[in-house]
Amino acid sequence: MKDLLSDRINSLPVSQTLAMAAKTRELRAEGKDIIGLSLGEPDFNTPDFIKDAAIEAVNQNYNSYSPVDGYVDLKEAVCTKFKRDNNLIYKPNQIVVSTGAKQSIANIAQVLLNPGDEVLLPAPYWVSYSAIATLCEATYVEIPSSIENDFKITPEQLEASITPKTKMIFFNSPNNPSGTIYSEAEYRALAAVLEKHPRIFILSDEIYEHINYDSKPFSFAAIENMYDRTITVNGLAKAFAMTGWRIGFIGAPEWIAKACTKMQGQITSGTNCIAQRAAITALLAPVSKIQFMVDEFKTRRDIVVGLLRDIDGFKVNVPEGAFYVFPDVSAFFGKTIKGVKIENASDFSLFILEKANVATVTGAAFGTPNCIRISYAASELQIREAIKRIKDALS
Ligand code: GLU
């Protein structure tokens, strides 16, 4: 019967981040002591002041459908956030609230891409970008980078990747999985290329915005001439430890926001009303309220980088944001360790799952097959133990 499934779903790869999380749960249920460093999910609880807002919303009987694009006062709060944090002026009719930034991205792809269009993906890129483009029957074009230049693409590479079919670029800084943050000057250099190609749209995924350590992220839409063709994506999951609440949002030209609302109206309607009410409180709170999590991530970043650099064969750069390290492990390819032949990053990731009981994600899922992604959204104790296990397994 499986062959009765649509070609669409048959050709869709499984999300490797979620697959690894499922595998971790499965192995734990079998009694294995797995340290999960695969999923990008803060290990903090949602702050109490946000939980209190949700409880109040329940008691105030927020139980009906919300407007498809979100409550007006939430959209106003999103505008306040964009102004305060990004110096971006959006009006509520340019905002659409969705069931996570993932749905925001899927909406945008659905409303802008036609079959045969090309989408540029600076690699490494988040696993679902390529899958979402494929679902829209678009072709994705990878623009490679390497650890030597901190996983940044150059304006020359961007220019060389553009064809008459290029419709969009999916840009993500701070980046998942590399933690790379582009500087304002680097944004402007890329924008100078895009200016010459006015029919290319920019999806600027800024979901890790607040999780930065050494430099502040910038926004594509803050560049003159880019605002009218940039869709700024953000959400609550990462900065506020609210992954399961599923609140994402966009700021976009009004005609694109309207199209996303139309799409969402046929697929999910407005997102969860309680989570929306809590999101207002989260967004309007001073950013200093979540700084303790960022500080903790920074401490862990330094620990992870230090410990990994101590393992022969790991090439590690210093990520400036998000909560991932993305080491190049290609030095292990072609080697046989403890009877296991390692040909690529997927073999390597599987090897450390089996021999060290540590879950990571292969870089192949992010378009960068020399690397693996390690999430340090885990306690310091777990991180230290995990890296010790990896080191022992490889020795
Ligand atoms: N974005 C997170 C990650 O990359 C959550 C899982 C997902 O949706 O991919 O791990």
Side-chain angles (χ1 to χ4, degrees):
M1 294 296 267
K2 189 169 175 277
D3 55 337
L4 295 180
L5 287 171
S6 67
D7 296 344
R8 185 178 304 113
I9 196 66
N10 280 333
S11 64
L12 189 71
V14 168
S15 161
Q16 289 299 309
T17 47
L18 301 185
M20 215 36 172
K23 180 101 188 140
T24 304
R25 277 187 222 114
E26 197 182 296
L27 292 172
R28 280 183 185 148
E30 286 170 15
K32 291 214 169 112
D33 168 27
I34 306 290
I35 301 180
L37 304 184
S38 59
L39 200 58
E41 168 157 75
D43 56 319
F44 297 100
N45 289 322
T46 304
D48 284 344
F49 72 97
I50 303 173
K51 291 195 282 195
D52 289 345
I55 292 164
E56 201 183 311
V58 172
N59 289 329
Q60 285 179 354
N61 296 313
Y62 275 96
N63 40 234
S64 313
Y65 290 128
S66 78
V68 171
D69 51 349
Y71 289 117
V72 173
D73 48 353
L74 173 53
K75 293 195 296 170
E76 282 165 356
V78 170
C79 293
T80 303
K81 172 258 166 312
F82 275 136
K83 173 81 187 76
R84 180 193 66 196
D85 301 337
N86 314 99
N87 207 18
L88 294 177
I89 308 296
Y90 287 114
K91 297 198 201 72
N93 59 8
Q94 295 177 275
I95 307 297
V96 182
V97 179
S98 299
T99 302
K102 196 182 251 181
Q103 189 187 19
S104 301
I105 295 165
N107 281 343
I108 294 156
Q110 293 273 3
V111 307
L112 284 176
L113 293 174
N114 279 318
D117 283 345
E118 290 177 2
V119 178
L120 301 179
L121 300 184
Y125 51 83
W126 178 49
V127 291
S128 294
Y129 289 169
S130 48
I132 287 171
T134 305
L135 267 181
C136 297
E137 297 175 59
T139 308
Y140 61 90
V141 176
E142 295 176 347
I143 310 179
S145 68
S146 72
I147 199 161
E148 282 73 26
N149 62 355
D150 284 322
F151 299 107
K152 287 177 181 172
I153 62 157
T154 63
E156 293 73 28
Q157 280 182 292
L158 175 60
E159 181 79 72
S161 310
I162 293 173
T163 76
K165 289 187 179 166
T166 309
K167 184 71 179 281
M168 294 189 79
I169 176 167
F170 285 11
F171 195 80
N172 174 217
S173 166
N175 178 269
N176 172 9
S178 70
T180 295
I181 297 181
Y182 283 74
S183 69
E184 179 176 340
E186 287 161 341
Y187 268 89
R188 288 190 182 279
L190 296 175
V193 174
L194 293 168
E195 258 176 34
K196 292 186 260 167
H197 303 274
R199 294 185 64 81
I200 299 178
F201 291 89
I202 301 112
L203 183 157
S204 181
D205 179 352
E206 303 178 5
I207 188 78
Y208 291 94
E209 166 192 24
H210 290 302
I211 305 171
N212 65 78
Y213 315 121
D214 310 310
S215 59
K216 292 271 171 236
F218 191 64
S219 294
F220 245 111
I223 301 172
E224 221 181 300
N225 298 335
M226 292 293 116
Y227 179 86
D228 283 340
R229 52 196 175 107
T230 297
I231 304 97
T232 309
V233 178
N234 213 321
L236 284 269
K238 312 296 180 180
F240 296 92
M242 290 175 72
T243 51
W245 297 63
R246 311 308 299 132
I247 296 284
F249 50 83
I250 58 166
E254 191 184 344
W255 61 278
I256 296 178
K258 253 188 166 159
C260 289
T261 304
K262 185 165 141 191
M263 173 61 63
Q264 192 162 292
Q266 291 289 20
I267 304 224
T268 55
S269 306
T271 191
N272 179 294
C273 56
I274 304 302
Q276 285 195 57
R277 301 313 302 168
I280 299 174
T281 300
L283 289 174
L284 295 181
V287 178
S288 57
K289 284 217 168 197
I290 51 170
Q291 188 59 37
F292 71 98
M293 292 189 262
V294 181
D295 293 343
E296 181 62 33
F297 285 135
K298 181 171 195 257
T299 305
R300 295 176 193 175
R301 189 257 330 241
D302 294 340
I303 291 169
V304 169
V305 168
L307 291 175
L308 288 178
R309 282 192 168 159
D310 228 29
I311 304 179
D312 273 351
F314 269 71
K315 206 188 283 175
V316 190
N317 73 329
V318 181
E320 290 187 277
F323 33 60
Y324 309 108
V325 269
F326 199 55
D328 183 314
V329 292
S330 57
F332 296 97
F333 299 173
K335 295 200 169 145
T336 301
I337 310 172
K338 297 203 159 69
V340 180
K341 178 106 200 207
I342 294 170
E343 302 278 19
N344 51 44
S346 304
D347 291 348
F348 187 84
S349 175
L350 218 58
F351 172 85
I352 58 175
L353 179 63
E354 276 163 16
K355 303 288 182 201
N357 282 347
V358 176
T360 58
V361 186
T362 171
F366 305 93
T368 308
N370 281 350
C371 299
I372 60 165
R373 189 187 80 172
I374 298 177
S375 160
Y376 52 88
S379 73
E380 188 180 323
L381 207 69
Q382 282 180 310
I383 292 167
R384 287 188 183 279
E385 171 63 16
I387 298 177
K388 182 181 169 303
R389 286 188 196 177
I390 295 172
K391 192 172 181 182
D392 291 349
L394 292 169
S395 65

